Amino acid sequence: MSIVAPSLLAANFLKLEEECKMVNESEADWLHLDVMDGRFVPNISYGIPVIEHVRKATNKICDVHLMIEEPGSLVPALKKAGADNIIVHWETCPNLHRNIQQIKELGMNAGVAINPHTPVFLLEDILADLHHVLIMSVNPGFGGQKFIPHSLEKIKQLRKMIDEKKLNVLIEVDGGVTVENAKDLVEAGVDVLVAGNTVFSSENPMETIKKLKQFSR
Ligand code: DX5
Ligand code: ZN
C-alpha cells in the first residue's frame, strides 16, 4: 500500500488542532509540512513555531519540505521542533552532500526534492545517501496547481535508477496529486503520495486518504 502524506498547506490554519486530529485518526502515514521563504519560491508559508505546535498535535511522521535558500541553517532547529524527515531542494544546495550528512547526523531521514525542470539523472551520485526523493509535479510555492504530465516520465526514470542500483530509496510525488491520477503514479513507481487540496478540500478527508492508500505497485 502506498504511503499517504496529507500536506498541511491546504488545511484550515484557524483550525490546525482539528485538522491534525483528523489526520491522526485517518490512515495517513506521514504529515507533509511545507516551509517557504519568499525567495526560493514566491510565497511564505509557516516555520519553526508552527511546526513545534503541530508536532505536539500529531502522531504521524513529520515530513518537512524546505523550499528555502540555505536550508542547512534551519536543520538543527527543525530537529529540536521534532521533524522526522527533512527534504532539501537540489536547486538550493551547492553542497548537497554536506546538507544530507547534516540531516542524517542529527538522526533524521534525509530527502532531496527536484523541481519540474531538474532532470532525474542529476541525483545519480547522491541517491545512495537518501531516504527519499521528492519529485515536484508542480512548480513549488503553491497548493492547488495542476499536475505536470512529464512528471510521470521522471518517476519511471527514477524508479529504474533506484531498482538498477538495488537501493531502498522511496519516491515521493508532490503537487496536483488526485484520487484519479494516484493509480498511474503508484504504478509508475511512487511510494509516497503527498496530497494537499485533494485531502483538505474534499467533502470527506478521511475517506479521501483511505482512497489514496488503496493503490499499490
Ligand atoms: C507546493 C507544496 C505542496 C502543496 C501541494 O509547493 O510543496 O506540498 O501543498 O498541494 P496540492 O496537493 O494541493 O497540489
Ligand atoms: Zn511540499
Side-chain angles (χ1 to χ4, degrees):
M1 277 212 298
S2 52
I3 292 172
V4 174
S7 173
L8 201 72
L9 190 66
N12 181 340
F13 285 2
L14 287 177
K15 296 185 176 170
L16 281 185
E17 194 168 12
E18 274 172 49
E19 300 281 48
C20 286
K21 200 159 171 258
M22 178 282 290
V23 174
N24 285 346
E25 286 165 9
S26 77
E27 291 176 35
D29 306 272
W30 296 3
L31 181 60
H32 185 81
L33 301 169
D34 292 298
V35 178
M36 304 177 187
D37 65 354
R39 288 175 60 86
F40 173 56
V41 292
N43 196 8
I44 295 177
S45 52
Y46 49 77
I48 309 282
V50 171
I51 292 178
E52 261 168 14
H53 281 84
V54 167
R55 167 75 283 172
K56 288 179 195 140
T58 187
N59 51 23
K60 303 292 178 179
I61 290 171
C62 287
D63 184 50
V64 180
H65 177 192
L66 293 181
M67 284 162 276
I68 64 174
E69 286 177 6
E70 298 179 21
S73 60
L74 269 198
V75 167
L78 283 165
K79 168 68 187 173
K80 223 170 140 220
D84 299 292
N85 302 344
I86 295 195
I87 304 158
V88 294
H89 264 264
W90 186 91
E91 298 81 8
T92 62
C93 295
N95 297 297
L96 184 58
H97 185 268
R98 177 181 295 150
N99 293 102
I100 297 306
Q101 295 315 313
Q102 180 196 21
I103 295 166
K104 288 166 57 163
E105 276 164 17
L106 287 169
M108 297 178 285
N109 297 317
V112 168
I114 56 170
N115 269 350
H117 72 278
T118 303
V120 160
F121 75 82
L122 290 171
L123 297 172
E124 182 95 40
D125 290 338
I126 196 73
L127 203 55
D129 294 287
L130 304 180
H131 176 263
H132 54 311
V133 171
L134 177 63
I135 302 273
M136 283 306 300
S137 42
V138 297
N139 286 296
F142 303 93
Q145 302 180 79
K146 236 178 117 218
F147 181 86
I148 297 172
H150 177 62
S151 315
L152 203 60
E153 188 50 41
K154 291 174 74 174
I155 290 160
K156 288 179 190 163
Q157 287 169 9
L158 181 58
R159 182 81 266 158
K160 195 161 169 253
M161 216 163 126
I162 292 170
D163 291 349
E164 277 174 4
K165 290 177 185 287
K166 298 190 170 44
L167 296 172
N168 271 327
V169 184
L170 300 174
I171 303 179
E172 183 174 22
V173 63
D174 185 9
V177 172
T178 63
V179 174
E180 288 69 38
N181 64 18
K183 186 171 186 282
D184 287 350
L185 294 171
V186 172
E187 279 175 5
V190 165
D191 304 288
V192 188
L193 295 163
V194 175
N197 281 274
T198 288
V199 167
F200 288 98
S201 302
S202 80
E203 249 171 54
N204 188 340
M206 281 177 67
E207 194 53 39
T208 303
I209 291 169
K210 197 188 179 79
K211 281 185 190 153
L212 290 170
K213 260 215 82 79
Q214 75 190 334
F215 304 110
S216 57
R217 54 180 179 89

